[in-house]
Amino acid sequence: MELIDMFCATCDDETEHEVLSRTQSQVIKCTQCGLVSRIPVQKEPVMLQIRAIVSREGESIVCRCEIAEDEEVNVGDYIIAECDDGEGAGVEVMSIESKDKRVEKAVGAKITTLWTRVIDQVVVRFSVHDGWHTLPLYVRCEGDEKFVVGDVYVIKGVKARIGHIRMRNGSVTKRKGKFEVASTIKRVYSYRI
């Protein structure tokens, strides 16, 4: 029996759902109230590790940024760069290199290198599942800000409930009420409500 965590309209909460069948859409049943629903199968975006030159107070180091292949990045965007020491840093995109040219914007698949600078705050990446689509959104916040599984947040006008949080060390926090701090988060997965 395959179980997934999904938001249940009847329970008005994120609950475990049993997957009854999976084709172009999946049929799921809430284990709490028994509501049977049909939802589209979420296609996870292909994530790329893009080279990023990160500058901090006159020193530059080579890091990487995780960007979806179809995600547009613009000069001035705030994203997370991950360096070899395992630490993530909030950075501002200062320049984008695509096929040996400098451009103002490009999608992930066409980016060769991002030229960035460290900013004091961090950027938390959200994947907001909304029916057939996954919206990549960013939240700029202090590094010690807490994000709680099960809580509802409004991100750039989009209301979403956190389903689980993936950490930089690879672990996943799924239990409702558990929290992680922004500086340790790799990505927050949520559902639009």
Side-chain angles (χ1 to χ4, degrees), residues 19-80:
V19 178
L20 301 176
S21 71
R22 184 187 302 258
T23 54
Q24 288 183 354
S25 62
Q26 51 187 346
V27 179
I28 59 173
K29 178 181 177 182
C30 178
T31 58
Q32 301 294 316
C33 70
L35 176 70
V36 176
S37 307
R38 182 178 298 272
I39 61 169
V41 174
Q42 293 284 334
K43 181 183 174 194
E44 289 294 323
V46 176
M47 302 306 288
L48 305 173
Q49 296 293 321
I50 295 175
R51 181 174 179 249
I53 307 301
V54 178
S55 296
R56 178 191 299 235
E57 298 176 10
E59 178 186 4
S60 295
I61 58 173
V62 178
C63 299
R64 64 193 175 286
C65 294
E66 186 179 73
I67 307 287
E69 67 178 347
D70 59 350
E71 181 179 344
E72 185 176 273
V73 178
N74 294 276
V75 169
D77 283 354
Y78 297 105
I79 57 177
I80 294 280

